[in-house]
Amino acid sequence: MNMDITQSTMIELRDAIAAKQVTAHEVTEAYLQRIAALNDSLGAYTQVFAERALQRADEVDAGKVTGALAGVPIAIKDNLCTTFGRTTCSSKILEKFESPYDATAVRRLEAAGAVILGKTNLDEFAMGSSTENSAFAPTRNPWDTTRVPGGSSGGSAAAVAAGLCAAALGSDTGGSIRQPAALCGIVGLKPTYGLVSRLGLVAYASSLDQIGPMTRSVSDAALLLDVIAGHDPLDSTSADDDARGEGVDYLDTLGQPVDKLRIGLAKQYISDANDPQVNAAIDAAVAQLREFGAEIVEVDLPHTEYGIATYYIVATAEASSNLARFDGVHYGHRTDKPEDLIDLYAASRAEGFGDEVKRRIMLGTYTLSSGYYDAYYLRALKVRRLIKQDFDQAFTQCDAILCPPTTHPAFAFGDKTDNPLAMYLNDVYTVNCNLAGIPGLAIPAGFADVDDHRLPIGLQLLGPTFSEARLFQIAAALIGDQPAPLADYRLPG
Amino acid sequence: MTTAITMIQGLKTRLKVGMEIHVELATRTKMWTGAANVAHPDHFGAEPNSLVDPVVIGMPGTLPVMNKAALEMSIKVGMALGCEIARFSKWDRKSYYYPDLPKNYQLSQYDLPICGEGVLEVPISDAADAEIRPVRITRAHLEEDAGKLMHEGPGGRPIDYSIVDLNRAGTPLLEIVTEPDITSAEQAVMFGQTLRNICRFLGVTEGIMQQGHMRFEPNINVIIEKVGQEYATPIVEIKNLNSFRAVRGAIEYEHHRQVEQWLDDGKVLTSGSKSTRGWDDGRMVTVLQREKEEAHDYRYFPDPDLVPVTVDDAWLDRIRIDIPELPQARQARYIEQWGIDPKDARGLIEERDVTLYFEAIIDAGVEPKRAAKVIRNNLAKLANERGVLPCDLGITAEQIAGVEKLLTANTISSNAADSLYALCLDSDDEPAKLAEANGLVQVSDEGALDEWVAAAIEAEPQAAEDVRSGKMAAIGRLVGAVMKLSKGQANPKAVQQKLREKLAQ
């Protein structure tokens, strides 16, 4: 074996396995070893399926399992239902929950031959921006273990950035793929709403949730999306296959020139409140795109500032309803010796949910209550439409919008846990994409120096619905297809 | 329009009733998933919790997919009730916590129901000449049924906890709401029966009341007149009535109870003063369940897991083609086209299966008026004795046609026809064969009969003499002689008659 397995991209591994330069077993074994060495201090995985993964790898080596991802080791966020292991959402209320069915995205991964290594940590029920809300343990940023990896897909982001998997699935409701991808220096895509089936994704906010790829290279993200995207008759909000364009292969556009493209810049995303190094990354990307011959245009997204307020009304309203089913009656945590039915509900939920989940359930319950519905929920839906119209208008002038995914690089543990609003403002550059249902792609854009630490920063590309191929094309032009560097994380001592 | 005024305690009172009717649709699968539907005949009485899947249990990550058949059935009912069918409707979540509702929200339609305003014309009583009055339909919306909570163990074993059966959870449920146009318990029952019959004609439900396929919730209050002043009593909603006996009983009981309550406390209708009562079938009384319409906040909002439903003309046309001729239209046709007695015509459309049986009898060759009389007279008698519908006696339409043929040809007497129908109950044989085997065929050849009788009198002079002198018991011997001579072909009744005539001379 003459390749450094855990340094390789997903596609490199797949090709090497297909060419029998390395066995799927060796590949899986290499990742399992690295997980064994690093996961305890990073907390990226909450479950590792070593035996099952090796078994799957052996099936690939035996030629029993084939496909576009044959033998590729992948991690999945633990809010995706799997018939193997548990599906916990990093919540006590589902700590022991075993799903009787697999999420469509998981089924598609396995049908393509992927080897699922384990399930990754998240903010409880995907509610958070730092993975500090996990009921089990926080995940650490592999670039600086005193800092958060972002969230809620922090476990997936850390696993990819630290080389504990070749790629991962995350979910993104208001930035939960793109923000941790940016803070961990990897590629992360929130697809167009409806492109990837939500069946088996434990719902946080149904009208915003999307599953997406988290990888080290643009082409890996394109391939992973290709595998998981597509109509699912069991998800009523799943887009028809012709919506994404006939015969679109997300890998096809990579490497195509961008000289005919118009790239939009919105003043609402370039703020003095951003870390100067974040703004500098945008400037550098603009210069580069100009050099490639792309046209840079100014666009206006006037309702941007209402995004956070709108998001936290829509998302929490849906969450309050989606999480009502966790009541201790049919499955999940049930309190000991309830006095009566009301106590069974109240105590099971009080014991099972963490503070942030409770906070959002209460917010959502309030905004849906009679007398408040019109002032909050209904108004939020109207503003949501205005935000969507902003983008529709902007995309008549440009093919994609370039903006930062976060205002700053990764922050330290505990920085924002006492101030929920400061935590919510983290999502300022990501939530509008979900509200509008459009795709957003975060890509690595080098490093910022913060307190003698090299911390990744990212870029974000937003496009019209079903423009994923275009976003990959621009991303590949900007960062090439070199894999993002693995975090130079070393075991303490 | 005359209004039904009932005197109670010397007061003029008028009853005002609006109905909510829940119809369980008999689709093959549930409203949002492929699990089998307990309201479909294939799954009646299924083992508890055998008709479930992850969607029914509301497991994490599950999603609903609309059952198109349920929507089409709802549209059919809407069309039959003359409702406006919404071109755009949507699904909303109605939130409340209860163990029989696994998601703790019910998928329903809040402000954009699939069926809008309509009307159902119903006789105000089952009298033949009863006035027909419209009952306005407010709306009909589609939702999912909840499961069932049971407070006894299997076999009635006492338990200090409750068990949940989710077989019914997710069954498509059409909720029809009427305006308060009903003015008597009788009319409410007529309305319910008419609606049930229409739904059965449409094939949207089996309509088995004991199984809860149709559940009625009347909203009742009374207008009381006292010295030229009118007082409206507070509205009472009676929950979950699943028999017409209960509908009638509950409304009649409430009518009197509300007047007495008003005399007692003088309370009148105010907004939010609606209370909820249940029906005690044993004691035939209503029982208070909830004093005030609790500050129930269902926090309705559009379900983000489902997409709105848009219905176009082409779809409506396809559905309309599937609607059979409805009972009222058949009733009119029976009278106009076939000249059937209006009272019979109404009796014939009250039960779908009887109606279809009636038409099958006509298809088998029986003249319509005769077919009506056979069902309403001959068969009704047999059916009443057995407590079944005429169509369920086990007599085929072809058998009836056979009997009628014998009757028309004077092969049998009309008395013999009744006997023949009774014989058909237990036999699949052709009536002609049955008539012959059971000696119901009338002897048409009078000459042959006379000859046999004369020969018998000659052969048995003593017996003949006895009969002449009034010893009627001796006639049996003479009949026996005739039967012997005729080799059993003579009609014994006719023979006896003939002998009496002859020997009385």
Side-chain angles (χ1 to χ4, degrees):
Chain A
M1 188 183 77
N2 55 7
M3 69 187 294
D4 188 342
I5 290 169
T6 55
Q7 285 285 342
S8 309
T9 66
M10 203 177 77
I11 291 176
E12 285 165 354
L13 287 173
R14 179 199 61 181
D15 293 346
I17 293 165
K20 304 218 182 286
Q21 291 160 350
V22 63
T23 65
H25 189 99
E26 287 168 328
V27 168
T28 301
E29 191 65 63
Y31 279 100
L32 288 173
Q33 276 173 19
R34 195 165 162 92
I35 291 167
L38 302 182
N39 191 55
D40 278 355
S41 37
L42 281 180
Y45 286 91
T46 51
Q47 299 173 74
V48 177
F49 311 124
E51 202 177 315
R52 185 178 187 277
L54 287 171
Q55 216 164 43
R56 286 274 303 172
D58 289 341
E59 283 168 16
V60 171
D61 290 331
K64 287 185 215 156
V65 172
T66 55
L69 299 177
V72 174
I74 287 182
I76 57 178
K77 189 176 180 179
D78 199 14
N79 61 349
L80 289 165
C81 289
T82 53
T83 49
F84 44 92
R86 297 181 306 275
T87 301
T88 71
C89 297
S90 289
S91 177
K92 277 189 189 151
I93 213 157
L94 289 179
E95 193 167 2
K96 294 170 186 152
F97 178 72
E98 292 178 20
S99 172
Y101 73 102
D102 286 310
T104 299
V106 172
R107 273 200 300 108
R108 288 186 175 166
L109 276 188
E110 293 218 304
V115 173
I116 292 171
L117 293 173
K119 297 182 90 170
T120 56
N121 200 16
L122 62 148
D123 285 301
E124 184 177 2
F125 283 102
M127 297 178 186
S129 311
S130 67
T131 317
E132 289 166 291
N133 294 335
S134 166
F136 306 139
T139 297
R140 297 178 180 280
N141 190 316
W143 294 95
D144 177 353
T145 53
T146 67
R147 291 174 188 270
V148 302
S152 65
S153 309
S156 287
V160 173
L164 305 188
C165 60
L169 291 187
S171 72
D172 189 318
T173 306
S176 282
I177 286 175
R178 291 158 290 152
Q179 184 255 18
L183 301 192
C184 290
I186 63 167
V187 177
L189 172 79
K190 195 291 280 187
T192 302
Y193 185 78
L195 183 58
V196 180
S197 168
R198 292 185 296 114
L199 180 69
L201 168 63
V202 181
Y204 157 24
S206 313
S207 75
L208 302 163
D209 296 340
Q210 270 291 287
I211 298 166
M214 303 178 80
T215 62
R216 285 178 55 220
S217 76
V218 175
S219 50
D220 278 3
L223 176 60
L224 196 47
L225 179 65
D226 212 50
V227 168
I228 62 172
H231 180 68
D232 181 357
L234 296 179
D235 174 358
S236 308
T237 62
S238 166
D240 289 338
D241 280 333
D242 49 6
R244 78 189 250 199
E246 195 142 350
V248 162
D249 180 333
Y250 295 117
L251 289 161
D252 280 356
T253 49
L254 301 180
Q256 284 180 14
V258 295
D259 58 342
K260 300 279 192 310
L261 298 182
R262 299 161 302 166
I263 307 298
L265 286 179
K267 61 172 181 280
Q268 286 85 357
Y269 283 77
I270 315 293
S271 158
D272 288 344
N274 293 352
D275 185 305
Q277 297 172 96
V278 166
N279 287 341
I282 296 285
D283 292 342
V286 166
Q288 208 180 336
L289 288 165
R290 277 216 175 90
E291 200 175 308
F292 293 145
E295 187 189 342
I296 306 296
V297 295
E298 287 240 346
V299 294
D300 193 16
L301 300 167
H303 297 95
T304 299
E305 63 173 306
Y306 305 111
I308 288 284
T310 305
Y311 170 81
Y312 277 96
I313 288 172
V314 172
T316 58
E318 293 181 14
S320 72
S321 169
N322 284 333
L323 273 65
R325 66 189 64 196
F326 305 110
D327 61 3
V329 174
H330 300 282
Y331 51 78
H333 173 73
R334 178 188 289 185
T335 191
D336 281 339
K337 300 193 177 69
E339 280 174 21
D340 53 25
L341 180 62
I342 299 299
D343 188 41
L344 172 84
Y345 287 149
S348 299
R349 288 166 70 81
E351 292 158 12
F353 288 139
D355 286 349
E356 183 57 30
V357 173
K358 287 177 187 164
R359 185 178 293 125
R360 295 195 192 193
I361 289 173
M362 284 188 272
L363 266 172
T365 304
Y366 181 82
T367 56
L368 285 179
S369 296
S370 88
Y372 300 98
Y373 181 91
D374 289 0
Y376 293 104
Y377 184 73
L378 200 61
R379 174 162 290 209
L381 290 189
K382 288 174 181 168
V383 178
R384 181 178 185 177
R385 196 177 315 132
L386 294 174
I387 289 169
K388 169 100 175 78
Q389 283 167 3
D390 277 0
F391 282 111
D392 290 345
Q393 176 60 32
F395 290 131
T396 62
Q397 297 163 265
C398 66
D399 298 299
I401 292 169
L402 175 69
C403 60
T406 61
T407 55
H408 291 81
F411 49 93
F413 284 101
D415 252 14
K416 302 178 195 235
T417 42
D418 293 335
N419 186 350
L421 195 59
M423 190 70 94
Y424 293 176
L425 286 170
N426 239 290
D427 305 331
V428 64
Y429 293 152
T430 48
V431 291
N432 288 359
C433 164
N434 301 75
L435 290 169
I438 58 172
L441 176 63
I443 53 174
F447 293 87
D449 287 319
V450 182
D451 307 337
D452 294 334
H453 265 281
R454 248 160 48 99
L455 292 177
I457 50 176
L459 292 172
Q460 179 173 224
L461 291 160
L462 305 174
T465 53
F466 303 107
S467 67
E468 280 80 358
R470 171 74 37 86
L471 300 186
F472 288 137
Q473 178 189 359
I474 300 166
L478 280 169
I479 64 168
D481 207 31
Q482 279 305 301
L486 286 186
D488 49 7
Y489 175 71
R490 296 285 179 272
L491 273 176
Chain B
M1 189 168 97
T2 56
T3 308
I5 292 175
T6 309
M7 298 299 290
I8 298 177
Q9 306 255 14
L11 295 166
K12 279 187 182 174
T13 71
R14 281 183 288 124
L15 190 62
K16 229 175 150 179
V17 181
M19 296 276 250
E20 290 171 24
I21 308 97
H22 290 93
V23 185
E24 284 186 355
L25 303 177
T27 49
R28 210 170 45 75
T29 58
K30 295 201 185 201
M31 188 63 230
W32 312 113
T33 176
N37 176 10
V38 74
H40 187 278
D42 287 355
H43 305 290
F44 288 170
E47 281 294 302
N49 292 312
S50 62
L51 310 179
V52 298
D53 67 7
V55 177
V56 175
I57 304 168
M59 295 204 116
T62 54
L63 295 171
V65 178
M66 182 189 77
N67 183 336
K68 212 169 152 184
L71 188 85
E72 291 183 344
M73 285 182 176
S74 304
I75 292 174
K76 277 186 190 176
V77 174
M79 285 175 166
L81 299 179
C83 295
E84 210 172 297
I85 306 299
R87 298 314 179 96
F88 181 89
S89 64
K90 66 179 174 71
W91 306 103
D92 301 283
R93 293 183 180 181
K94 177 182 179 178
S95 296
Y96 63 93
Y97 279 77
Y98 208 61
D100 65 6
L101 190 69
K103 301 185 296 295
N104 287 322
Y105 59 80
Q106 180 190 29
L107 286 173
S108 183
Q109 298 190 299
Y110 179 51
D111 54 352
L112 293 173
I114 183 67
C115 304
E117 290 177 12
V119 69
L120 180 60
E121 306 268 351
V122 184
I124 59 169
S125 78
D126 68 355
D129 55 351
E131 186 194 342
I132 311 275
R133 276 204 211 148
V135 175
R136 287 169 298 160
I137 308 294
T138 314
R139 58 180 277 171
H141 67 260
L142 186 52
E143 59 188 26
E144 59 180 330
D145 211 342
K148 271 183 188 161
L149 269 196
M150 296 180 292
H151 309 287
E152 282 183 346
R157 184 168 53 85
I159 48 176
D160 64 351
Y161 52 91
S162 301
I163 326 179
V164 190
D165 175 10
L166 293 180
N167 276 359
R168 201 181 65 182
T171 283
L173 196 63
L174 183 67
E175 181 175 337
I176 303 164
V177 182
T178 80
E179 294 293 307
D181 290 348
I182 295 168
T183 60
S184 71
E186 179 81 8
Q187 190 190 1
V189 170
M190 293 304 294
F191 173 82
Q193 288 174 339
T194 307
L195 181 63
R196 171 178 176 272
N197 199 31
I198 289 173
C199 289
R200 277 167 51 80
F201 262 95
L202 292 170
V204 306
T205 179
E206 291 303 310
I208 303 174
M209 306 286 286
Q210 306 91 292
Q211 289 193 25
H213 291 172
M214 285 185 92
R215 309 195 290 271
F216 295 86
E217 299 189 340
N219 280 252
I220 307 164
N221 77 334
V222 183
I223 313 296
I224 301 167
E225 201 184 313
K226 192 181 182 188
V227 286
Q229 193 81 4
E230 284 197 340
Y231 304 88
T233 60
I235 296 172
V236 170
E237 177 171 338
I238 315 289
K239 299 302 267 185
N240 263 330
L241 302 175
N242 62 0
S243 77
F244 292 119
R245 184 182 113 104
V247 170
R248 184 192 304 273
I251 294 174
E252 280 173 353
Y253 182 84
E254 270 305 302
H255 189 169
H256 286 83
R257 193 198 62 78
Q258 289 188 20
V259 174
E260 269 151 35
Q261 176 100 41
W262 178 80
L263 285 168
D264 195 41
D265 62 17
K267 279 190 187 151
V268 294
L269 177 66
T270 52
S271 81
S273 64
K274 178 163 138 181
S275 60
T276 305
R277 299 178 79 89
W279 173 245
D280 183 329
D281 222 11
R283 290 162 53 219
M284 294 288 282
V285 296
T286 63
V287 186
L288 185 69
Q289 285 181 340
R290 224 170 38 213
E291 184 57 73
K292 270 224 164 119
E293 185 75 334
E294 272 167 20
H296 242 312
D297 185 353
Y298 290 118
R299 301 194 303 280
Y300 280 102
F301 79 108
D303 181 34
D305 286 332
L306 286 163
V307 289
V309 185
T310 50
V311 178
D312 61 15
D313 285 342
W315 193 6
L316 289 183
D317 288 345
R318 282 199 302 279
I319 295 169
R320 199 174 282 116
I321 286 170
D322 266 357
I323 294 183
E325 189 183 18
L326 292 174
Q328 284 89 338
R330 287 180 204 242
Q331 183 183 359
R333 180 164 58 84
Y334 295 169
I335 297 168
E336 282 163 34
Q337 190 178 324
W338 291 335
I340 286 171
D341 177 81
K343 194 178 169 194
D344 285 345
R346 213 176 96 191
L348 289 167
I349 55 107
E350 274 167 5
E351 275 289 344
R352 176 196 61 176
D353 293 349
V354 174
T355 313
L356 300 181
Y357 185 55
F358 168 62
E359 296 189 2
I361 293 168
I362 294 167
D363 288 345
V366 179
E367 190 271 324
K369 274 192 231 173
R370 278 300 310 158
K373 289 296 174 200
V374 169
I375 291 182
R376 301 279 295 159
N377 301 335
N378 308 59
L379 301 191
K381 205 159 55 188
L382 295 170
N384 285 343
E385 286 163 14
R386 285 159 185 77
V388 297
L389 291 172
C391 52
D392 295 330
L393 284 166
I395 304 177
T396 67
E398 286 68 29
Q399 284 181 315
I400 290 170
V403 174
E404 284 298 305
K405 210 167 145 191
L406 295 173
L407 206 51
T408 317
N410 265 323
T411 310
I412 57 169
S413 66
S414 54
N415 275 348
D418 269 331
S419 310
L420 201 45
Y421 283 127
L423 289 167
C424 288
L425 290 173
D426 304 314
S427 172
D428 293 334
D429 286 346
E430 282 175 28
K433 198 170 148 196
L434 283 173
E436 212 156 299
N438 292 278
L440 296 173
V441 176
Q442 294 183 114
V443 177
S444 50
D445 188 349
E446 288 283 320
L449 215 52
D450 283 340
E451 252 173 59
W452 288 325
V453 167
I457 290 169
E458 210 178 298
E460 301 280 354
Q462 186 56 49
E465 194 48 45
D466 285 352
V467 173
R468 278 197 191 95
S469 61
K471 292 180 187 163
M472 291 312 287
I475 204 164
R477 199 171 175 87
L478 293 165
V479 173
V482 175
M483 295 313 285
K484 203 173 169 187
L485 287 166
S486 71
K487 291 177 183 134
Q489 282 180 358
N491 182 338
K493 258 185 172 173
V495 169
Q496 204 172 52
Q497 183 64 26
K498 192 128 263 193
L499 282 165
R500 281 171 197 270
E501 285 165 18
K502 277 256 188 307
L503 298 173
Q505 282 167 1

